[in-house]
Amino acid sequence: MRRQDFAPPPPPTIDRPADRWICGHAAEGNPCPHGPAADGQCSERGACHPRGEAGSWKCSRPACLGGKCEPGPAGDGSCGLAPTPCRPRRSWRWRRRRWLVGGAVATVGTLLVVLGGPWSSRLIRPGQLSQSHAQILGTRLASDRCAACHPAASNSPLDWFRSAGRGHEGVTQSQLCLDCHHAAIPRRQAFAAHNLTEPQWQRIDRRPTATATSWRDALPRPEFATDQVACAACHREHHGAAANLSAITNAQCQTCHQNRFAGFADGHPDWEDWPRSAASRIVFDHRTHFAKHFADPRAADAARFRDDCRSCHPATATGEPLRTVSYAAGCASCHQATLAVEAQQGVTLLAVPSLPDPAQAGLSSWPAAASGFYDGRLGPLLRLLLRADREVADALDQLPPDGDLAKLDPDDPGQRRAAPQVAAAVAKLFAAISERGRPAVIDRLVGQGVPAEAAQRIGRQLSPQLVRDARQRWFAPQRSNEVQRQPAPPRPAGSAAPGSAGPDTLLLDASEASSGTDPLGPGPRAETPRDDDLLGTDPLQGDPLQAASSGDRPAASGAGPPSTTAGREPFDADATMPGGGWFQDETRLAIHYRASEHADPVLQSLLEIAASLPRHAPERQALLSLPATQACLQCHSVGSSGSGLAWTTPAAAGLAASFTRFSHRPHLSLASLADCQHCHQLATGDPAAAVPRALPVGSSPASSHDFGPHDFGPHDFGPHDTRPRDLRPRDFRPLGRATCVACHRPGGASDACTQCHQYHIRPPHEPPPQVAGRLADPGGR
Amino acid sequence: MFDSPGTAPASPVSRFVRRRRWSLCLVGAAAVSLASGLWLVSQRLGHPAFLSGGTLFACLLLLPLIGLRRRFPMLPLGTMSTWVQVHLYTGLFALVAYLLHVPRVVADGIFEGGLSWLFLGVSASGFYGLFVSRTAPRRLTAVPGNYRFGQIGWHRQRIAELASGMLHDLQSTPAAEVLGTFYQENLHPFFTSRPGFAYVALPTGTRRRRLLAGLGRIDRYLEADTQQAAGRLAALIRMRDDLDYHFALQLRLRLWVVFHAVLSLALLLASTVHLLLVLRFAGH
């Protein structure tokens, strides 16, 4: 049988799919024609809806529901069939709407739970923090973690719809970053490109280097100004614990640059002055050392230094080579002897000048040995101390510039008036130190702008008792046993005279050397006015202290007539003070310091004092010209911090916080690069070595004597570059880009910008910049 | 739209193919434009997520508008066919924008991860809807009968009444008893009950073949009149099975619409919250 043989009744046409309710009997196939009410209740009105015609009622049940019913309508118009109440059901349309509304309500409820509960910060967090931030913020309350970086997190969600939250009004996210990172990045410079201020940029030549233009130059510039670079421009959080916060592409690096290029091997600007030997603060000429000194077979350890760079540049525990070793390990074997000789010359703190007639000048109790004529040299340190007094400073200016009274013009009334004035000041200084001790020296130096540390270091070594003892003896009232200027003790053969440059064996013949006499000894001096027996004897003759101190010294032979102050033995600083120190120089009536070795604290202080003085101060050049300090300046130079001398050099090479960083460690691990001279080739006879190096803007060139190997910033020697040059030839040939490109290219070692360049720059000093080798000039005086 | 003037009108198939090509090209061009814009923004150290997210949100606002068009047919908003095409290709473009916005497919974080799953669910249901809306009508057309979903219950009742009335007309004979027993045991539950969940989820001919095979097995016990009745019952079995097949496919379509609409609404609400969170927490 086939389906078309069946003739089922037509389906009802009274269904209302848009209605909210449908008859419960519809599923049974017998829906009522009325349908449920709007409220979902069954109408219970029977199977039909009678129709009134001409005063009578007729059944209107459609044929699909069975046609006219048998009882027919009642007289009142109601259906004759008994109503069959049903349970109405919702139509499909309205069931679907209920699902939609229910879904929306459930969604809104879920969102409210997510946002409103104490777990909201954890739920809405868009990914894990990087490991470093997660560790730091993990100790905070959950409610505070988001607020550490997001200003809006400190407010309630209700504040979302207000103009600004009460918690962090005006606070930006970058400022919250700096709350933790301000130590590494100064706040006032944090949003500037490369963290450099405009003055700092001025020191860096920003003119475009000569590179070929490319289509990349036409790409748009960054979407922010170069002085409003937010942290989030490069650092994006919430990308997982292992995410690299500093990851940035080469193109992104270049988005702020004028000239853009494809890669390090393709289009990167060439350089001509890298690596700079500027960061070291030790003046060291590799060329002469390798060509001359290390080549001398007589030089100690020459082969070691010549053959192995690591003998002076050993590697640290991290694998980075040190810029230099200690003086004892690297330099002393050759330089100690010379340095000791030069340092022994030391410096004079106090010296009694000689005047023709002290009594007439109003100076009572003036040492007789310092009378009769103008003589004596006022050292730079003494002059500096005297300048603390304004009137004395004016008097000092009247005297010869180097403080040598022997050069005084007796016919100059100004100088004649100034000399006793200065002499009186010297006596007064003696008294001050005797009474107040070290503060008398320190206060005078600090009052003239000398750094307190340097002044205290000078005074730390000085014993006020030494000065007091000298004052008591030298400035004692004139008596028959007055102080005589003691003859110099006989020096052993080969020893140096105090203040001399070293053992003068050339002037001694064999007999004199064996006898221990000095041809310059007391014999000829006996004819000098200072050896006049008529001036009296030594008032300290018989002093047991003096006798005990001179007990070890060799007996003076040919030393002239003994002092009338019997018992005062001459003091041999060379023999008795090999380690240096302050002593009384009876010959010159001076308190003198004898240095002895490298890193002498007093010499160090002298140079720091000189560095703190104005450039035009006469004492500054005088202090620098002392033989002892000259010995220091042969190797040490000014630090780029501008605060004066920098005695130490940055330890590791290549790791400064500048635009370019370089780590030796991974390079030294390669066998081909283990030889330092593969990259650092001496520039002997190299024309490129004559290429001058530019110096920071604001510095003025001087002779090479004033320059040290310092440098700051990149260089560009264009025709309009007016920066001064460091005219000294280079030690090493510049390392060209081609050398680096051999490995750092696509497919090889990393050629990313961030491999070698840094964004956060910390200049080693603040303006004004300091020239290498020069002493600081604070305030531009 | 796609026919050149003065030429013979293109066949519906070729028009359909050309429309699809144009639409796909348009979506492709839009995707390339979006990707280029994102690359440009990232190179400028901007936040490309704002661009991709904004584009995606705009698509999410555009997609539900097809429901408005359906509810307000009196408004001059274009044909429903056009709106369907706009809805489909906008959804496709939204998927591309999503993948550009969330390259990892599922975002990190609990809330955003849930949002990702919502979007993926809506997208998956959209693709399913595209599939079922193209295949179900063809399958329904292949099955005899035209049944409106709301009247399927009425037709089911009529078929059950026809089947039960058939047995009452038979005289009481051993063959009629056999047939009656078979009806009571196998056919009465079939005719009087709704199809099961398994059949609705995956309508097959297994049930139909089983019942028809049963009728065939008892055929040797029947006589001429009962065999005729058995033949009618077999026809009614086929009719009922076809009716159930219509019910299953139409119910599937309707349920899909509900599922897709509910997920879309949830996605829209959650996306709005996500947008507010981003605007509030994305600082500088």
Side-chain angles (χ1 to χ4, degrees), chain A residues 181-192:
Chain A
H181 294 279
H182 62 274
I185 304 171
R187 283 186 182 271
R188 60 186 179 91
Q189 299 171 210
F191 305 139

Side-chain angles (χ1 to χ4, degrees), chain A residues 1-3 6 9-12 15 17 26-31 64 92 96 99-100 103-104 107-108 111 115 122-127 150 152-153 155 159-160 162 165 172-174 219-224 230 232-233 236 248-249 251-252 255, chain B residues 39-48 70-71 104 108-112 144 147-149 151 153-155 157-158 161-162 166 208 228 231-232 235-236 238-239 242 251 254-255 257-258 261-262 265-266 269-270 273 276-277 280-284:
Chain A
M1 190 127 193
R2 293 177 293 183
R3 65 183 67 225
F6 293 98
D15 56 334
E28 301 166 0
N30 300 309
C64 59
W92 175 262
R96 184 184 66 190
W99 274 103
L100 282 176
T107 303
V108 171
L111 291 173
L115 297 175
R122 191 170 67 88
L123 294 181
I124 67 175
R125 183 182 61 192
H150 296 282
N155 306 326
D159 290 328
W160 291 6
R162 300 177 189 172
T172 65
Q173 190 178 70
S174 296
L219 290 176
R221 297 294 150 185
E223 63 175 30
F224 43 78
R236 309 284 167 87
I248 189 168
T249 64
Q252 288 174 323
T255 190
Chain B
W39 176 83
L40 206 60
V41 170
S42 68
Q43 295 310 307
R44 299 182 66 217
L45 295 179
H47 292 260
R70 192 168 65 84
R71 286 167 176 78
R104 298 174 64 178
D108 295 328
I110 297 174
F111 175 73
E112 297 192 352
Y147 305 106
R148 287 175 54 182
F149 185 79
Q151 298 173 348
W154 187 90
H155 286 284
Q157 186 69 18
R158 298 284 83 77
E161 290 174 354
L162 284 173
M166 216 169 285
R208 174 184 179 146
Q228 195 175 19
R232 289 181 182 166
L236 286 175
R238 295 188 191 94
M239 279 182 65
D242 292 342
L251 182 63
R254 288 173 177 252
L255 287 178
V257 171
V258 174
V262 171
L265 185 60
L269 291 173
V273 172
L276 292 175
L277 287 174
R280 193 64 189 175
F281 284 90
H284 294 281

Side-chain angles (χ1 to χ4, degrees), chain A residues 109-434:
Chain A
T110 302
L111 291 173
L112 288 175
V113 169
V114 167
L115 297 175
W119 47 76
S120 63
S121 60
R122 191 170 67 88
L123 294 181
I124 67 175
R125 183 182 61 192
Q128 286 186 343
L129 293 172
S130 61
Q131 188 177 10
S132 53
H133 287 159
Q135 288 177 341
I136 294 171
L137 297 178
T139 56
R140 290 193 179 202
L141 292 175
S143 57
D144 295 337
R145 287 178 198 148
C146 299
C149 302
H150 296 282
S154 61
N155 306 326
S156 69
L158 295 176
D159 290 328
W160 291 6
F161 303 98
R162 300 177 189 172
S163 59
R166 283 190 292 270
H168 282 95
E169 290 183 357
V171 176
T172 65
Q173 190 178 70
S174 296
Q175 289 170 338
L176 292 179
C177 298
L178 290 174
D179 283 349
C180 294
H181 294 279
H182 62 274
I185 304 171
R187 283 186 182 271
R188 60 186 179 91
Q189 299 171 210
F191 305 139
H194 286 291
N195 305 143
L196 295 175
T197 61
E198 189 60 30
Q200 290 167 341
W201 275 113
Q202 294 297 328
R203 290 191 226 115
I204 300 171
D205 190 355
R206 287 186 292 172
R207 286 177 294 137
T209 53
T211 59
T213 58
S214 70
W215 61 268
R216 294 176 181 80
D217 296 339
L219 290 176
R221 297 294 150 185
E223 63 175 30
F224 43 78
T226 53
D227 61 345
Q228 296 174 4
V229 184
C231 303
C234 303
H235 303 293
R236 309 284 167 87
E237 254 290 6
H238 292 292
H239 288 289
N244 182 4
L245 283 179
S246 304
I248 189 168
T249 64
N250 292 343
Q252 288 174 323
C253 275
Q254 297 186 63
T255 190
C256 298
H257 296 180
Q258 296 179 3
N259 286 341
R260 305 175 188 182
F261 45 89
F264 181 61
D266 181 10
H268 186 283
D270 289 316
W271 57 79
E272 58 184 13
D273 186 28
W274 191 86
R276 310 181 194 93
S277 59
S280 173
R281 295 167 184 173
I282 305 297
V283 179
F284 182 82
D285 191 335
H286 286 81
R287 295 175 303 115
T288 56
H289 276 75
F290 273 81
K292 179 181 171 184
H293 302 300
F294 293 163
D296 186 350
R298 298 174 299 172
D301 295 331
R304 175 168 68 92
F305 293 127
R306 184 185 63 241
D307 298 338
D308 187 8
C309 299
R310 291 179 179 82
S311 58
C312 289
H313 302 284
T316 63
T318 59
E320 298 296 331
L322 286 176
R323 198 168 296 283
T324 184
V325 289
S326 65
Y327 168 82
C331 313
S333 59
C334 296
H335 289 276
Q336 177 57 29
T338 307
L339 180 66
V341 168
E342 294 175 339
Q344 287 171 3
Q345 314 226 9
V347 65
T348 300
L349 176 68
L350 297 167
V352 181
S354 177
L355 301 175
D357 191 353
Q360 187 181 5
L363 299 173
S364 60
S365 301
W366 193 256
S371 304
F373 49 88
Y374 288 112
D375 198 6
R377 183 187 294 271
L378 304 174
L381 184 58
L382 174 59
R383 296 203 302 273
L384 190 61
L385 291 171
L386 293 176
R387 283 192 183 274
D389 188 341
R390 188 74 181 174
E391 293 179 357
V392 180
D394 294 337
L396 277 173
D397 293 337
Q398 301 290 326
L399 297 179
D402 57 357
D404 188 358
L405 293 183
K407 299 178 182 175
L408 188 143
D409 183 3
D411 299 327
D412 186 342
Q415 290 188 359
R416 290 206 311 273
R417 280 196 299 274
Q421 191 177 354
V422 171
V426 171
K428 184 179 173 185
L429 184 58
F430 263 95
I433 297 175
S434 301

